[in-house]
Amino acid sequence: MIGISSTYLSWSTNLKITEMKSLILSLLVAGTFVACSPSTKIEKSWIEPGASVSANPQYKTLVIAMVKDETSRRVIEDELVKRLKSPGVASYTVLNSEMLKAASDEDLTKVVNDGKYTHILLMRLADVEKETSYVQGTTTGYYGGYGRYYGYGAGMYSTPGYYTTDKNYFIETTVYSVTPNKLLWTGTTKTVNPDKVSTAVTQIADVVVQKMKSDGFLK
């Protein structure tokens, strides 16, 4: 009877240790994915006092994403146009990449006038910043007796500290009226470690629209 009890106790203890090890490993993996997942937030915004736009078929907005990669430009502009309550046009349909690169005021003015646009929404990459931080190591003690379990379990329940580097992308979004030519709203977002353009743009567009609403700019 004593032999059976000891065997069961040993098997039970080892099972608990294995289960605890698996749980801790799962938590560490989950924590890693959370830490590495992209996140976007508003850093700052400004609104012209009294300025606002609402769903009005008479409004027509030209959306311009000032990025070098043409594919990214199209993805960004399409996502922004989707979120406009009034008619919007992606600039890649009226401004080719060479025209965007030349950045001619005359060419833009002609496109705006010919298209009878009332507003212009521009988005650009304002800055990229690297940020290094130290993640503290963790140690979890073994609940139970001491002795051999201390030495056996200590390494299992400890993780060393490490350094991690984040890439922060600062995106500036501005909205101008055409007549008069005036800045109405501007905001800067910060996105940490974006892995896909489509995912990052969706997050940025959602955050910007929400901020425009909270500022009272978007009705």
Side-chain angles (χ1 to χ4, degrees), residues 11 15 75 141 143 146 172:
W11 175 83
L15 178 61
V75 170
Y143 293 95
Y146 57 93
E172 185 178 70

Side-chain angles (χ1 to χ4, degrees), residues 97-115:
S97 57
E98 291 303 317
M99 293 172 70
L100 189 67
K101 185 178 179 181
S104 167
D105 289 343
E106 291 77 13
D107 288 345
L108 179 58
T109 299
K110 184 177 187 308
V111 168
V112 169
N113 291 337
D114 290 348

